Amino acid sequence: MTQIDKDDIPSSPRANDGSVTIGNLIETRLSRRMMLVGLGASALSSACATSPAKTNHLLTAAKPASTPFTFKEIERGSDGTHHVPDGYKADVLLRWGDPIFKDAPDFNPLAQNSNSQSQQFGYNNDFIGFVSMADDRGLLCVNHEYSSTRNMFPAAQRIKKDKARIKTEIASQGTSIVEINRVNNRWQVKRDSALNRRITGDTPMNISGPAAGHARMKTPADPSGRRVLGTLGNCAGGITPWGTYLTAEENIDGYFGGKLDKAHAEADNHARMGVPDGRQDWHYADDRFNVSIAPNEANRFGWIVEIDPLDPNSTPKKRTALGRFKHEGAESVLAPDGRVVVYMGDDQRGDYLYKFVSRDPYNPARPDPDLLDHGTLHVARFNESGVDWLALTHGQGPLTAENGFNSQADVMISTRLAADALGATSMDRPEDVQPHPGNGRVYVMLTNNKNRSDANDAPLRTAVNAANPRADNVFGHIIEIIEPEGDFAATRSEWEFLVKCGNPNDPAFGALWNPATSKNGWFSAPDNCAVDPRGGLWIATDGNPKSGAVDGLWALETEGLGRGTGRAFFRAPIGAEVCGPRFTPDGRALFLSVQHPGEDDDTTYETPLTRWPDFDPGLPPRPSVVVIYRDDNAVIGV
């Protein structure tokens, strides 16, 4: 998701992990798969040092083809509201501050407080999960990624170090679980549902798995190392096969301030996570966010949290077997032998791609509530011939006491350092990672990396590598991982480029799209993604304005002669990004998160770029969930 400048700087030491020429790489990769090409011989030859014979062969191998997506594309552009294709409608379902309980107070932006916010829909909604309870009844599970003082509060409340304002921000984060019902083919919120729940930065949680109870997880407030207050930085996530909700803690470093001595035992680990960053001022109001007072508290964030949405009295669990880093998402799938595989990206420039494989298979007749506490976390090493998934297991390779890893708990608490030691491949901001159970493939969103370099002479720039071949990659790309015979638990995989983002009409970008892609169908900065019930892939963006248009949602072909063809479907209001695409099981409704509408680097509560979705001069713009339908109530996309 949206990153601040400090997160643009890679903290991975693998800043110079070997470079390849763009031409050699593209020639090698695309000679094996001739379906995806640039828009013209001149564009491809400018970006690639290939022979004319091979270039022409690639260009003539793929022809413009029809696509199973038949909706009429929307136009590129930028304005203060949202847009959908002809024949579709987008309703605003939930807005920041909307009451989600029967007796919750109405939203009053001039009198916000932690009590009211803990009963209302939170700020900056991101991931959306849908748990179906019946054809016309389900639960939305929605993340709230971060708060923004200058855009949430009027000037009179933007007081630095103000405890009341900070507590309101803490309450605005976490997650919302809200029952929705379909009435007359339209979904609506059920405010009096006993299943509705707000989980915030103060909600008690358990710590489970290999790091639970470890000395590095203990704090003055929790000498057991097994209980923690809250979940923060909740970005993307996933819904498990057994119907629980995984929420991913991403940019947790900004919540921690104070100073930590360089000789402290956690100094290297904290530095690798960017702690303490102090961009928020929370440490002035709550000692647990002050590393000078509670140096271990930061180790208790940066995990995957599992929540049972069907039990509002259940205690969320931080599953430490899935590692600690800046988690973007946690999409799961079953391997052929029944084991659960969870794919995760570490969303920082230069960091890594992971997958967790459970030790035991999922048994639908007797589900193990702690299945995710036991298994193996792997990190990806890409080369031109495939992907090696390297086990992050204590005692194997360099993950020993001699290198500072005294137990599996150490490996999980310091996952980034352990992955460094194994020689994982630095990536261009791996965000959402979506397994496709229908074709045995996995789609990896790589949003961008302006710090990627052709040279090895800049210490803060990461060298190009096989899977990230473009220097100054401000547009991002999408990689398709091919798991052998659909075995998602495999430790050796193949991979291909699906698209390289950016304008295909400008040879300088080195973009790669199917020639059937229109002027509206290409995009930049892929972020979240989803597979619809028909097997189609959808891509949401965060950073497309670098391409001259606002962020939105695109359908993207993955098969046959149409492979690599984009089609524009949804356009966000100016300043917003689009997150969390999620379809109902019947494919007749699509939920989208519209995050931070009306914001840029200079906006405030008083001066937004738009006042979407209310367009009320007395109200600020409000991050919201929209639900999209076809006018004829048929399946979306066709």
Side-chain angles (χ1 to χ4, degrees):
M1 300 311 172
T2 300
Q3 303 287 302
I4 65 161
D5 289 343
K6 186 171 180 179
D7 289 328
D8 290 345
I9 301 172
S11 66
S12 168
R14 299 188 59 75
N16 298 306
D17 56 358
S19 64
V20 296
T21 68
I22 298 173
N24 288 343
L25 176 67
I26 294 177
E27 179 178 355
T28 300
R29 303 306 296 170
L30 294 188
S31 64
R32 293 167 49 198
R33 240 183 128 97
M34 298 183 295
M35 295 178 182
L36 182 60
V37 296
L39 282 185
S42 61
L44 189 60
S45 61
S46 296
C48 315
T50 56
S51 69
K54 281 194 175 179
T55 298
N56 291 334
H57 178 60
L58 288 168
L59 287 167
T60 57
K63 302 291 185 183
S66 61
T67 167
F69 297 111
T70 59
F71 61 87
K72 182 180 178 181
E73 280 192 282
I74 61 173
E75 294 287 326
R76 301 175 67 83
S78 177
D79 59 31
T81 192
H82 62 268
H83 298 266
V84 292
D86 291 343
Y88 287 81
K89 182 179 181 181
D91 294 340
V92 177
L93 181 68
L94 276 164
R95 302 163 298 178
W96 165 48
D98 280 352
I100 64 169
F101 302 104
K102 183 178 181 180
D103 300 324
D106 290 330
F107 179 57
N108 182 351
L110 300 179
Q112 300 177 63
N113 60 68
S114 59
N115 180 61
S116 60
Q117 179 64 92
S118 65
Q119 301 175 70
Q120 298 165 340
F121 193 65
Y123 195 71
N124 270 341
N125 42 279
D126 198 294
F127 169 82
I128 300 172
F130 182 81
V131 177
S132 180
M133 296 186 290
D135 286 346
D136 296 318
R137 187 176 174 220
L139 291 177
L140 280 191
C141 304
V142 185
N143 286 356
H144 301 292
E145 185 182 7
Y146 68 95
S147 52
S148 173
T149 303
R150 62 187 172 85
N151 292 289
M152 288 178 67
F153 299 94
Q157 297 180 38
R158 294 198 297 268
I159 303 169
K160 191 170 179 62
K161 307 181 186 180
D162 181 71
K163 290 187 178 182
R165 188 262 305 158
I166 291 170
K167 288 184 177 296
T168 303
E169 289 193 25
I170 292 172
S172 77
Q173 296 204 22
T175 72
S176 293
I177 298 171
V178 182
E179 182 175 342
I180 58 174
N181 296 161
R182 183 159 47 187
V183 180
N184 296 325
N185 291 320
R186 291 296 183 264
W187 290 95
Q188 54 189 242
V189 173
K190 183 176 173 58
R191 279 180 58 180
D192 61 353
S193 173
L195 296 175
N196 291 357
R197 186 178 186 185
R198 274 289 279 119
I199 294 169
T200 74
D202 281 325
T203 301
M205 301 188 174
N206 290 334
I207 300 169
S208 70
H214 191 273
R216 297 174 64 191
M217 300 291 280
K218 297 178 180 180
T219 68
D222 173 35
S224 75
R226 295 179 180 273
R227 295 278 286 176
V228 62
L229 292 180
T231 181
L232 300 169
N234 302 84
C235 198
I239 301 295
T240 66
W242 49 97
T244 59
Y245 165 28
L246 302 181
T247 179
E249 297 182 328
E250 188 192 26
N251 292 312
I252 58 93
D253 48 316
Y255 306 112
F256 293 90
K259 294 183 179 180
L260 192 69
D261 190 283
K262 291 183 179 179
H264 193 279
E266 292 297 335
D268 289 344
N269 182 45
H270 281 1
R272 188 65 177 84
M273 284 288 287
V275 173
D277 175 280
R279 82 191 79 150
Q280 302 278 7
D281 57 356
W282 290 9
H283 60 291
Y284 293 110
D286 192 330
D287 285 348
R288 65 187 170 123
F289 298 113
N290 190 329
V291 297
S292 307
I293 297 171
N296 283 354
E297 184 70 23
N299 287 342
R300 294 143 63 87
F301 293 86
W303 303 100
I304 295 295
V305 184
E306 185 173 15
I307 302 166
D308 183 353
L310 294 171
D311 182 0
N313 297 312
S314 61
T315 301
K317 294 183 178 181
K318 298 200 176 187
R319 299 293 189 184
T320 65
L322 278 70
R324 175 176 173 267
F325 44 89
K326 293 184 178 180
H327 289 274
E328 168 70 21
E331 296 286 0
S332 59
V333 67
L334 294 178
D337 63 4
R339 287 183 293 168
V340 177
V341 181
V342 183
Y343 289 89
M344 299 168 286
D346 186 349
D347 183 10
Q348 189 161 337
R349 289 171 172 86
D351 263 287
Y352 309 134
L353 175 67
Y354 297 84
K355 75 174 174 183
F356 170 84
V357 181
S358 68
R359 180 190 66 190
D360 305 316
Y362 164 58
N363 181 353
R366 297 182 61 187
D368 178 358
D370 294 314
L371 186 67
L372 297 181
D373 278 347
H374 306 285
T376 303
L377 181 65
H378 303 79
V379 67
R381 180 191 289 159
F382 285 79
N383 53 59
E384 291 187 10
S385 62
V387 187
D388 294 311
W389 294 97
L390 312 174
L392 288 148
T393 303
H394 176 251
Q396 294 184 11
L399 305 183
T400 62
E402 291 78 8
N403 293 312
F405 302 100
N406 296 297
S407 65
Q408 187 64 18
D410 284 328
V411 174
M412 295 295 96
I413 294 169
S414 302
T415 300
R416 280 184 163 185
L417 293 174
D420 294 341
L422 290 178
T425 298
S426 68
M427 306 294 287
D428 286 351
R429 273 188 66 197
E431 297 217 41
D432 222 354
V433 186
Q434 180 67 57
H436 192 314
N439 63 15
R441 302 191 175 197
V442 182
Y443 300 98
V444 183
M445 306 297 109
L446 296 157
T447 298
N448 55 48
N449 187 355
K450 66 183 181 182
N451 297 314
R452 187 69 70 176
S453 174
D454 277 328
N456 295 330
D457 57 358
L460 295 182
R461 286 164 62 82
T462 310
V464 294
N465 59 48
N468 306 270
R470 287 194 291 181
D472 301 308
N473 181 17
V474 297
F475 301 112
H477 56 288
I478 299 173
I479 282 176
E480 179 185 64
I481 293 175
I482 302 100
E483 299 289 21
E485 298 181 356
D487 184 2
F488 295 100
T491 57
R492 175 73 178 177
S493 313
E494 295 184 354
W495 68 275
E496 301 288 347
F497 292 112
L498 179 55
V499 294
K500 291 185 179 181
C501 301
N503 187 351
N505 297 305
D506 188 336
F509 293 162
L512 202 58
W513 296 91
N514 191 292
T517 301
S518 75
K519 66 178 182 179
N520 301 307
W522 62 269
F523 54 82
S524 296
D527 187 331
N528 282 173
C529 62
V531 173
D532 68 26
R534 299 167 45 253
L537 183 65
W538 299 75
I539 311 295
T541 65
D542 175 19
N544 195 60
K546 294 184 180 70
S547 297
V550 295
D551 283 303
L553 183 75
W554 280 259
L556 183 62
E557 287 301 300
T558 61
E559 304 291 341
L561 292 179
R563 176 180 167 86
T565 305
R567 185 182 286 262
F569 181 80
F570 178 84
R571 206 171 88 198
I574 189 171
E577 68 171 289
V578 177
C579 318
R582 184 67 55 176
F583 290 85
T584 52
D586 60 12
R588 294 191 291 127
L590 165 61
F591 302 99
L592 290 177
S593 279
V594 177
Q595 191 183 106
H596 56 77
E599 287 187 26
D600 68 12
D601 292 341
D602 300 316
T603 57
T604 66
Y605 178 99
E606 293 80 13
T607 60
L609 301 175
T610 178
R611 293 192 181 273
W612 184 93
D614 302 297
F615 299 103
D616 182 331
L619 292 174
R622 300 165 73 182
S624 302
V625 171
V626 299
V627 54
I628 300 173
Y629 314 91
R630 275 179 54 158
D631 291 344
D632 60 5
N633 201 40
V635 173
I636 288 173
V638 297

